[in-house]
C-alpha cells in the first residue's frame, strides 16, 4: 500500500527513523524509509534505485493509489497508536474524538454511551482484559472486583473470549484503572483493535500433557503477537514496562526474518505502522475438546500427541469468523477449514506466516470485508496455503485425522489430576453481580484461589483442596452459584452478548432479554411435552456482529430491529456446523408462534437421539416454514 506524506503526518515523526509499510501483496520486505535531514525528508524504497530528496512532500498520484478506509489513515498518522489519543485524554471533555476512539481500542477499551438515557449523552468506557487461556491470578481477580465497585458499575462481565469486561469507567479515571490493572500483572493491551485478540484455550486446569501444552502454546502465541512499540505503557504508566519474562523461542520466532515476514528496524516488527486489516482471533485446543468453538477463529490450533500422550505437533485450521452485516449477502459467517499440520517446534513460525499473509493481503479499503475469512473465500484454500508457505519457508504436512468434537462445559466438581479439585461455576450470561459477586470474593479471598474464565462465559475455581469442597459448595449455594444439576439445561449452554444499553452497535436486547426468552422456551418445552433434561443450544446477540457466536447455535437469535430478531437454525450441540437464517423480523412477543411448531415437530418427528439442530437441517427450511405457517396448536393426545 502506498503511503502519502503531508502536514497531517508531522506528529508521527517523533523518532529519527520510522519504517512505514507498503502493502503490495506478499512482499513484506518492501519498505519506505523516512529519515530526517537538514534540508527535508529523504525517501527511499528498498526495491527501487531511485532516491529523491525533497523539502516539500510531492502530492502523490491518487489515481493509482489503492483506496483505504478511514481507520487505516488514522493508524498511519498515530505514531504507533499514540496520537491523538494522548492529547484527547488530557482534555476536560467526557469523551474523546473519532480518531482517538479508534485508537483506544488497541489499548483494550471502547467508548460508550448509556442508550437508556435521554437528552445529553453521558460517556463512559468499557475496558476488556487480555487473559490467554482465561487464566486469572488470585490477586488480579480481587483487583478487578475492587475496580468494578470503585470505578465501574459494580459488576464484572465474563466474555466469550475468556476475558473480563469492566463497564462504566469515566474518562478521568481511565489512567488510574489501567495502571492498577498493569501494576497487578494484568493487561488490556490488544483486547480490542486491529491485531491479535485474546488467545483461547480450554479453561480446565487438567494436569494432562496435552492440556498443559495447549495452554503453554496459547500463551506463547499471545506473547509472539503482542505489540512491541511501547504505546500501551507510554499511555498508562508513563513508559514503565511491567512485563513477565518471555520464553526464548518466542523472542527467536518474533525476530526471525529469514522469509521476509518482518519490518526491519521497526518498533513493530510484525505489525508495522498499519497493524492488521481487522481483528484477528486464535484458539488452541486438544482433540475432542471444543469448549473453544475452534472453527469460529481466524486460526484454530489442535495439539496432536503420540500414543504415549506426548505432544508432537499441531493441526491448523484457518478462515473462521462470525461477523456479518444485515441485508448484505456478500458478508457471512464462515467455518474454518484445514490448512495442514506442523511439528511442534514450528508452530510459532507457522502462526506468524499466516498472520503476515493476512497483513499483506487482507482488504484495507472496506472494513466489512477485512477479516481473513474473506481473503480465503476469495483465494481458495490452495492459493492461501501456497502464499503462507512462502512466509513459513516449508510445506505444510497433511492434516492429521481427528476424532469427533464435543462441547465441554467443565461445570461442577472435577479432579485436576494433581491431587487438587476444580469447580466450574455457571454464571448467567457471564455477569458477576450482587450476592454472587460478594460470595465469589469471599471464597476466592479466604482460600487464596486462582481461577479461569471459560469461552462460555463461566468461571472455574482452581487448585481446591479436598477438605475445602464442602464449605466452598455451601458458600457457593448461598451466593446463588448452583451446582449444574440445579441449573436449567437451557441456561447451561446459552450465551448472550451485553448489547443494550451500552453497546453502540446493538439494535435490540440480548443479555437483558435472555432470561425471559429462556423461560419462554422452557414453557414451550413443557407445553408440548419435551423433557426437562432435553436441551437446545441457544445464543442471542443484539446485532449481526456475532460476539456470542449465534451462527453456531441450534437456535440463534440475532437482533435485526427494535424488539425484533432473525431466527437462525441448524447449528449442532458440538459447534461444528453453521446455522442458517430461517426467518427475519420476528418480533419478540411473537417468538412462540415460531418456536412452538418447531419444537413440537422435533419431538414428534425426530430420529433416535437427533438433536434439534440436526433435525432442522434434515427437514429443510421450506418444510419447516410450511409447518410454522399451518400451525394451529399441538394435537391433544387422548
Amino acid at each position: 500500500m502506498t503511503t502519502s506524506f503531508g502536514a497531517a503526518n508531522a506528529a508521527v515523526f517523533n523518532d529519527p527513523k520510522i519504517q512505514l509499510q507498503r502493502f503490495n501483496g506478499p512482499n513484506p520486505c518492501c519498505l519506505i524509509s523516512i529519515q530526517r535531514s537538514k534540508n527535508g525528508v529523504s525517501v527511499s524504497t528498498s526495491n527501487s534505485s531511485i532516491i529523491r530528496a525533497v523539502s516539500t512532500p510531492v502530492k502523490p498520484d491518487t489515481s493509482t493509489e489503492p483506496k483505504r478506509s478511514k481507520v487505516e489513515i488514522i493508524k498511519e498518522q498515530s505514531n504507533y497508536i499514540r496520537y491523538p489519543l494522548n492529547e484527547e485524554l488530557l482534555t476536560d471533555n467526557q469523551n474523546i474524538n473519532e480518531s482517538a476512539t479508534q485508537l483506544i481500542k488497541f489499548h483494550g477499551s471502547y467508548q460508550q454511551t448509556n442508550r437508556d438515557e435521554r437528552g445529553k449523552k453521558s460517556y463512559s468506557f468499557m475496558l476488556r482484559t487480555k487473559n490467554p487461556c482465561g487464566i486469572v491470578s488470585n490477586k488480579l481477580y480481587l483487583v478487578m472486583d475492587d475496580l468494578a465497585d470503585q470505578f465501574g458499575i459494580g459488576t464484572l462481565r465474563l466474555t466469550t473470549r475468556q476475558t473480563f469486561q469492566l463497564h462504566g469507567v469515566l474518562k478521568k479515571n481511565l489512567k488510574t484503572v489501567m495502571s492498577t490493572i498493569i501494576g497487578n500483572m494484568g493487561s488490556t493491551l490488544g483486547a480490542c483493535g486491529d491485531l491479535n485478540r485474546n488467545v483461547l484455550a480450554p479453561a480446565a486446569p487438567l494436569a494432562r500433557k496435552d492440556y498443559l501444552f495447549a495452554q503453554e502454546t496459547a500463551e506463547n502465541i499471545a506473547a509472539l503477537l503482542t505489540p512491541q512499540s511501547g504505546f500501551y505503557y507510554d499511555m498508562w504508566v508513563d513508559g514503565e514496562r511491567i512485563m513477565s519474562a518471555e520464553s526464548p523461542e518466542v523472542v527467536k520466532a518474533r525476530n526471525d526474518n529469514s522469509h521476509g515476514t518482518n519490518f526491519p528496524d521497526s518498533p513493530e516488527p510484525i505489525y508495522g505502522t498499519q497493524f492488521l486489516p481487522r481483528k484477528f482471533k486464535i484458539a488452541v485446543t486438544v482433540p475432542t475438546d471444543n469448549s473453544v468453538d475452534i472453527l469460529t477463529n481466524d486460526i484454530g490450533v489442535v495439539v496432536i500427541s503420540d500414543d504415549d500422550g506426548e505432544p508432537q505437533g499441531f493441526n491448523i485450521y484457518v478462515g473462521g469468523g462470525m461477523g456479518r452485516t444485515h441485508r448484505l449477502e456478500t458478508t457471512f459467517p464462515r467455518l474454518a477449514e484445514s490448512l495442514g499440520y506442523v511439528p511442534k517446534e514450528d508452530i510459532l513460525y507457522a502462526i506468524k506466516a499466516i498472520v503476515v499473509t493476512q497483513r499483506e493481503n487482507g482488504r484495507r479499503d472496506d472494513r466489512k470485508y477485512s477479516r481473513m475469512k474473506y481473503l480465503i473465500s476469495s483465494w481458495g484454500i490452495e492459493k492461501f496455503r501456497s502464499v503462507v508457505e512462502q512466509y513459513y519457508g516449508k510445506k505444510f504436512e497433511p492434516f492429521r485425522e481427528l476424532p469427533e468434537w464435543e462441547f465441554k462445559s467443565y461445570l461442577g466438581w472435577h479432579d485436576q489430576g494433581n491431587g487438587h479439585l476444580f469447580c466450574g461455576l455457571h454464571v448467567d450470561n457471564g455477569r458477576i453481580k450482587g450476592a454472587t459477586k460478594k460470595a465469589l470474593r469471599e471464597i476466592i479471598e479466604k482460600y487464596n484461589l486462582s481461577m479461569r474464565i471459560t469461552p462460555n462465559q463461566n468461571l472455574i475455581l482452581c487448585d481446591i483442596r479436598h477438605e475445602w469442597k464442602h464449605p466452598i459448595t455451601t458458600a457457593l449455594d448461598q451466593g446463588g452459584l448452583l451446582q449444574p444439576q440445579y441449573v436449567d439445561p437451557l441456561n447451561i449452554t446459552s450465551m448472550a452478548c451485553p448489547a443494550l444499553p451500552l453497546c453502540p452497535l446493538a439494535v435490540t436486547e440480548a443479555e437483558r432479554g435472555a432470561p425471559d426468552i429462556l423461560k419462554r422456551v422452557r414453557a414451550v418445552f413443557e407445553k408440548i411435552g419435551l423433557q426437562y433434561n432435553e436441551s437446545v443450544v441457544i445464543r442471542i446477540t443484539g446485532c449481526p456482529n456475532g460476539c456470542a457466536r449465534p451462527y453456531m447455535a441450534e437456535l440463534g437469535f440475532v437482533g435485526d430491529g427494535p424488539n425484533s430478531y432473525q431466527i437462525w437454525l441448524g447449528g449442532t450441540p458440538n459447534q461444528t456446523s453453521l446455522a442458517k437464517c430461517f426467518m427475519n423480523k420476528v418480533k419478540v412477543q411473537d417468538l412462540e408462534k415460531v418456536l412452538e411448531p418447531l419444537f413440537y415437530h422435533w419431538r414428534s418427528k425426530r430420529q433416535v437421539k437427533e438433536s434439534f439442530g440436526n433435525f432442522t437441517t434434515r427437514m429443510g427450511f421450506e418444510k419447516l416454514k410450511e409447518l410454522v405457517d399451518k400451525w394451529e396448536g399441538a394435537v391433544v393426545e387422548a
Side-chain angles (χ1 to χ4, degrees):
M1 178 174 288
T2 305
T3 304
S4 60
F5 311 108
N9 297 70
V12 177
F13 302 133
N14 292 337
D15 296 324
K17 183 176 180 180
I18 291 179
Q19 297 288 336
L20 293 184
Q21 177 178 350
R22 294 178 65 191
F23 294 90
N24 291 328
N27 182 10
C29 297
C30 183
L31 303 171
I32 298 177
S33 176
I34 309 299
Q35 292 185 326
R36 290 187 181 277
S37 68
K38 289 183 179 180
N39 299 321
V41 180
S42 174
V43 182
S44 66
T45 61
S46 60
N47 61 348
S48 173
S49 60
I50 298 174
I51 299 176
R52 176 181 297 163
V54 293
S55 56
T56 303
V58 177
K59 186 174 181 180
D61 180 5
T62 57
S63 62
T64 60
E65 184 173 327
K67 179 185 176 184
R68 289 186 293 166
S69 71
K70 184 184 297 184
V71 176
E72 290 298 312
I73 306 300
I74 291 170
K75 288 187 290 186
E76 176 188 281
Q77 298 177 356
S78 71
N79 187 17
Y80 294 97
I81 319 301
R82 292 176 173 87
Y83 173 83
L85 177 60
N86 53 352
E87 295 182 355
E88 285 293 301
L89 291 173
L90 299 176
T91 71
D92 293 330
N93 298 331
Q94 286 187 348
N95 62 314
I96 56 179
N97 68 19
E98 181 182 356
S99 294
T101 299
Q102 294 297 330
L103 297 179
I104 202 169
K105 296 175 184 179
F106 292 76
H107 297 256
S109 181
Y110 284 90
Q111 180 170 265
Q112 299 181 329
T113 60
N114 189 334
R115 295 169 63 188
D116 282 347
E117 296 178 353
R118 295 294 178 264
K120 186 178 179 180
K121 290 183 178 180
S122 60
Y123 292 90
S124 66
F125 292 80
M126 180 273 282
L127 273 61
R128 183 185 295 153
T129 59
K130 197 90 169 279
N131 307 89
C133 319
I135 295 173
V136 182
S137 69
N138 175 273
K139 183 179 182 182
L140 181 59
Y141 181 87
L142 297 177
V143 164
M144 294 300 297
D145 185 79
D146 286 336
L147 292 173
D149 291 338
Q150 295 172 19
F151 300 105
I153 59 173
T155 71
L156 283 173
R157 184 58 151 72
L158 311 177
T159 78
T160 59
R161 292 203 70 79
Q162 297 184 277
T163 66
F164 288 115
Q165 284 186 175
L166 184 64
H167 292 92
V169 178
L170 299 181
K171 177 183 160 185
K172 65 180 182 181
N173 296 324
L174 273 174
K175 189 167 185 177
T176 298
V177 175
M178 289 284 204
S179 62
T180 301
I181 292 172
I182 296 168
N184 286 277
M185 302 309 294
S187 178
T188 63
L189 172 59
C192 322
D194 297 344
L195 70 177
N196 181 54
R197 303 290 187 88
N198 198 50
V199 181
L200 305 188
L206 296 171
R208 274 175 40 180
K209 290 179 182 178
D210 54 350
Y211 275 84
L212 293 173
F213 194 58
Q215 290 156 11
E216 177 188 346
T217 302
E219 290 176 327
N220 284 342
I221 291 171
L224 172 73
L225 299 176
T226 294
Q228 300 297 299
S229 54
F231 63 82
Y232 181 67
Y233 299 97
D234 287 350
M235 200 72 63
W236 308 113
V237 289
D238 301 322
E240 179 185 356
R241 295 202 184 200
I242 304 172
M243 301 175 69
S244 57
E246 291 183 322
S247 66
E249 61 258 44
V250 170
V251 177
K252 182 181 178 182
R254 181 189 298 122
N255 293 335
D256 179 75
N257 196 29
S258 55
H259 301 289
T261 53
N262 289 21
F263 298 108
D265 304 318
S266 171
E268 290 292 352
I270 295 177
Y271 289 128
T273 60
Q274 302 303 114
F275 289 77
L276 298 180
R278 279 296 301 271
K279 67 180 79 169
F280 201 89
K281 297 182 177 182
I282 301 175
V284 184
T285 191
V286 303
T288 75
D289 188 337
N290 199 20
S291 59
V292 299
D293 258 348
I294 190 74
L295 300 179
T296 66
N297 291 271
D298 291 274
I299 304 177
V301 179
V302 186
V303 176
I304 302 298
S305 301
D306 62 19
D307 293 339
D308 296 323
E310 290 289 342
Q312 299 299 308
F314 301 90
N315 277 349
I316 299 178
Y317 293 99
V318 291
M322 291 286 96
R324 49 178 285 276
T325 302
H326 282 318
R327 295 176 295 280
L328 194 61
E329 298 302 315
T330 50
T331 65
F332 44 82
R334 187 180 192 274
L335 292 184
E337 55 188 305
S338 58
L339 182 69
Y341 169 91
V342 298
K344 61 183 180 182
E345 62 270 16
D346 287 349
I347 186 60
L348 296 181
Y349 299 90
I351 293 293
K352 184 178 174 183
I354 297 167
V355 169
V356 169
T357 300
Q358 162 66 355
R359 181 194 75 194
E360 292 298 303
N361 299 284
R363 286 183 59 172
R364 293 178 181 266
D365 60 329
D366 189 337
R367 290 175 65 81
K368 290 192 298 294
Y369 305 103
S370 292
R371 291 290 299 275
M372 194 171 76
K373 63 181 178 181
Y374 296 112
L375 176 64
I376 296 176
S377 293
S378 172
W379 278 6
I381 192 64
E382 296 301 329
K383 178 179 177 180
F384 183 82
R385 182 184 294 112
S386 176
V387 174
V388 172
E389 286 172 344
Q390 295 176 38
Y391 293 115
Y392 176 38
K394 299 180 181 180
K395 293 285 187 181
F396 287 98
E397 296 180 33
F399 200 78
R400 302 300 195 255
E401 186 176 353
L402 292 172
E404 285 293 313
W405 292 107
E406 301 173 19
F407 168 72
K408 297 178 184 288
S409 71
Y410 296 111
L411 298 180
W413 288 93
H414 303 269
D415 195 324
Q416 288 184 184
N418 61 356
H420 290 122
L421 303 171
F422 71 88
C423 183
L425 305 173
H426 172 73
V427 181
D428 276 337
N429 299 312
R431 183 71 66 178
I432 300 175
K433 59 183 180 180
T436 294
K437 183 171 177 291
K438 183 174 183 291
L440 270 176
R441 183 187 180 94
E442 290 175 353
I443 293 167
I444 289 166
E445 201 164 26
K446 180 177 180 178
Y447 296 97
N448 194 31
L449 301 179
S450 62
M451 71 272 336
R452 298 189 181 187
I453 303 168
T454 81
N456 222 52
Q457 303 175 317
N458 294 322
L459 197 66
I460 291 176
L461 303 181
C462 306
D463 299 314
I464 301 171
R465 296 180 186 176
H466 283 264
E467 60 267 30
W468 296 346
K469 179 178 179 180
H470 178 70
I472 287 177
T473 300
T474 301
L476 290 171
D477 289 345
Q478 292 172 349
L481 288 158
L482 304 176
Q483 292 303 297
Q485 62 267 31
Y486 303 116
V487 180
D488 190 320
L490 292 171
N491 291 56
I492 284 179
T493 57
S494 72
M495 291 199 296
C497 68
L500 297 173
L502 295 177
C503 178
L505 303 176
V507 295
T508 194
E509 300 285 358
E511 179 186 339
R512 294 194 303 191
D516 180 63
I517 289 175
L518 292 172
K519 287 178 183 177
R520 290 165 62 187
V521 171
R522 173 57 61 195
V524 171
F525 271 37
E526 293 173 352
K527 180 178 180 180
I528 64 174
L530 283 166
Q531 298 299 310
Y532 179 79
N533 62 356
E534 298 187 86
S535 188
V536 171
V537 177
I538 299 173
R539 295 177 175 179
I540 307 168
T541 59
C543 82
N545 284 325
C547 293
R549 303 190 285 272
Y551 310 117
M552 302 300 289
E554 294 182 274
L555 174 60
F557 297 96
V558 178
D560 63 356
N563 300 310
S564 174
Y565 296 95
Q566 287 182 331
I567 293 181
W568 287 65
L569 302 175
T572 51
N574 64 351
Q575 279 82 63
T576 56
S577 297
L578 271 179
K580 295 181 180 179
C581 184
F582 176 62
M583 282 190 173
N584 293 292
K585 296 290 183 182
V586 178
K587 290 296 184 181
V588 68
Q589 63 268 23
D590 295 330
L591 293 179
E592 283 84 355
K593 295 177 182 178
V594 179
L595 300 182
E596 195 172 297
L598 291 177
F599 288 139
Y600 175 81
H601 289 289
W602 174 46
R603 182 184 70 83
S604 60
K605 297 181 180 180
R606 60 185 165 180
Q607 298 173 350
V608 177
K609 295 185 177 180
E610 186 175 35
S611 69
F612 178 69
N614 285 336
F615 165 78
T616 59
T617 299
R618 178 174 61 83
M619 292 292 289
F621 282 7
E622 185 176 346
K623 178 63 176 177
L624 292 177
K625 288 178 180 177
E626 180 184 334
L627 295 174
V628 170
D629 291 341
K630 293 181 177 180
W631 180 248
E632 295 181 354
V635 177
V636 179
E637 297 181 0

